């Protein structure tokens, strides 16, 4: 698809969103790469191009080789802490504020949607603002341990049972949080439009939500730089940087 043809898709995409009764946005880590946070699967820069996820980001890695897990986590957490929402995040927040979209379902763990002002955010894979003890299940705010960890490599421990605290994110070998999953499923079940941005749609079960929406009759708009397994099912493709295309799309939707 040429750039001109892709940009032409903005007009029908805007009309689809304007006419939607229950539009939902589904985002992945790619929406945050313009903010400086690496995604997981992009060739040469993705985190899984550098490390085997089962060796560094699985529950087994956390339990058996915690030093390996925290060494992997540190640069990612440092990047997340230092970054800010980009125009894509703010555009989505504007669409929600205008009543165009009802919810954001995200695979991102960085809280940038919330920082941008989006109110209904369903983080399927958790978020980095909390820590949990896998033994006694006590929860703590990450900010309490952040400086010691990033500046002095002090790995956070539970003050009650002294076990290492795990970031409240979904690691490989873990189930998705059921309450968030159920809320996301309900949003998708009601949707008549789903806008996917920054997701490869390769991570199951999260990727099953857009699939379910389409099977349930929803229209599908995909905004990713790479191809996805659902491209052939999309009503429109917007293969551009989300931080560039979503502000344009938002302006059209809001009649600016």
């Amino acid at each position: 698809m040429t750039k001109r043809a892709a940009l032409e898709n903005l007009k029908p995409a805007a009309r689809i969103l304007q006419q939607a009764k229950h539009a939902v946005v589904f985002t992945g880590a790619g929406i945050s790469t313009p903010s400086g946070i690496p995604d997981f699967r992009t060739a040469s820069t993705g985190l899984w191009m550098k490390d085997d996820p089962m060796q560094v980001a699985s529950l087994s890695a956390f339990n058996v080789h915690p030093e390996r897990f925290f060494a992997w986590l540190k640069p990612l957490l440092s990047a997340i802490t230092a970054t800010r929402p980009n125009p894509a995040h703010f555009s989505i927040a504007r669409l929600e504020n205008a009543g165009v979209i009802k919810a954001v379902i995200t695979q991102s763990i960085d809280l940038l949607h919330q920082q941008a002002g989006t109110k209904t955010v369903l983080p399927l894979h958790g978020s980095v603002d909390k820590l949990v003890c896998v033994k006694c299940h006590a929860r703590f705010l990450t900010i309490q341990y952040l400086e010691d960890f990033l500046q002095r490599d002090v790995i956070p421990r539970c003050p009650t049972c002294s076990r290492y605290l795990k970031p409240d994110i979904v690691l490989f070998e873990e189930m998705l949080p059921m309450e968030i999953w159920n809320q996301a499923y309900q949003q998708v079940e009601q949707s008549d439009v789903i806008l996917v941005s920054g997701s490869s749609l390769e991570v199951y079960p999260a990727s099953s939500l857009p699939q379910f929406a389409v099977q349930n009759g929803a229209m599908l708009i995909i905004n990713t730089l790479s191809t996805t397994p659902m491209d052939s099912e999309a009503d429109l493709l917007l293969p551009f940087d989300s931080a560039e295309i979503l502000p344009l799309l938002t302006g059209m939707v809001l009649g600016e």
Side-chain angles (χ1 to χ4, degrees):
M1 178 182 294
T2 66
K3 183 173 183 179
R4 180 175 179 180
L7 288 173
E8 281 297 313
N9 279 350
L10 279 176
K11 296 175 183 177
R15 286 196 296 270
I16 288 171
L17 288 170
Q18 287 169 336
Q19 296 168 5
K21 293 188 173 89
H22 197 102
V24 172
V25 176
F26 181 95
T27 68
I31 200 170
S32 297
T33 53
S35 292
I37 300 175
D39 64 9
F40 294 90
R41 287 174 171 78
T42 297
S44 78
T45 61
L47 293 178
W48 301 152
M49 301 300 108
K50 303 174 183 178
D51 295 292
D52 179 345
M54 296 305 295
Q55 296 296 317
V56 296
S58 64
L59 187 60
S60 294
F62 174 82
N63 288 328
V64 179
H65 300 290
E67 71 291 338
R68 188 183 299 170
F69 169 81
F70 282 103
W72 168 81
L73 177 68
K74 183 177 178 179
L76 177 60
L77 188 57
S78 181
I80 290 174
T81 303
T83 197
R84 295 293 179 268
N86 64 58
H89 298 105
F90 288 115
S91 295
I92 290 172
R94 292 186 65 208
L95 289 174
E96 183 198 45
N97 185 59
V100 176
I101 63 170
K102 305 304 181 186
V104 174
I105 302 168
T106 187
Q107 297 168 281
S108 296
I109 60 173
D110 53 37
L111 298 162
L112 294 184
H113 282 301
Q114 293 91 326
Q115 291 175 27
T118 300
K119 297 177 178 62
T120 304
V121 183
L122 302 174
L124 293 176
H125 295 161
S127 53
V128 295
D129 60 331
K130 295 181 180 64
L131 299 166
V132 60
C133 177
V134 296
K135 182 178 181 181
C136 69
H137 307 296
R139 292 178 178 272
F140 306 89
L141 295 177
T142 302
I143 192 69
Q144 297 174 247
Y145 299 87
L146 190 62
E147 184 176 355
D148 278 346
F149 176 54
L150 294 181
Q151 302 299 325
R152 291 178 281 279
D153 289 319
V154 178
I155 297 177
R157 287 182 178 271
C158 178
T160 301
C161 62
S162 298
R163 290 286 295 272
Y164 287 133
L165 295 175
K166 185 183 83 68
D168 197 15
I169 59 177
V170 177
L171 303 180
F172 286 88
E173 303 173 335
E174 286 192 295
M175 300 287 289
L176 299 189
M178 189 54 62
E179 182 179 353
I180 296 294
W181 174 262
N182 288 337
Q183 291 177 40
Y185 189 89
Q186 290 170 8
Q187 288 290 340
V188 168
E189 190 173 35
Q190 298 176 67
S191 70
D192 55 353
V193 175
I194 185 160
L195 168 63
V196 173
S197 184
S199 174
S200 64
L201 296 178
E202 293 181 355
V203 179
Y204 186 84
S207 61
S208 68
L209 290 175
Q211 186 72 55
F212 171 65
V214 170
Q215 291 171 349
N216 205 36
M219 300 189 74
L220 173 64
I221 302 170
I222 296 180
N223 161 225
T224 61
L225 286 171
S226 60
T227 59
T228 80
M230 290 191 68
D231 282 1
S232 62
E233 301 176 68
D235 293 275
L236 289 168
L237 297 175
L238 301 173
F240 292 102
D241 186 319
S242 59
E244 296 177 2
I245 209 71
L246 291 187
L248 296 175
L249 177 60
T250 298
M252 285 189 180
V253 171
L254 301 181
E256 298 173 350

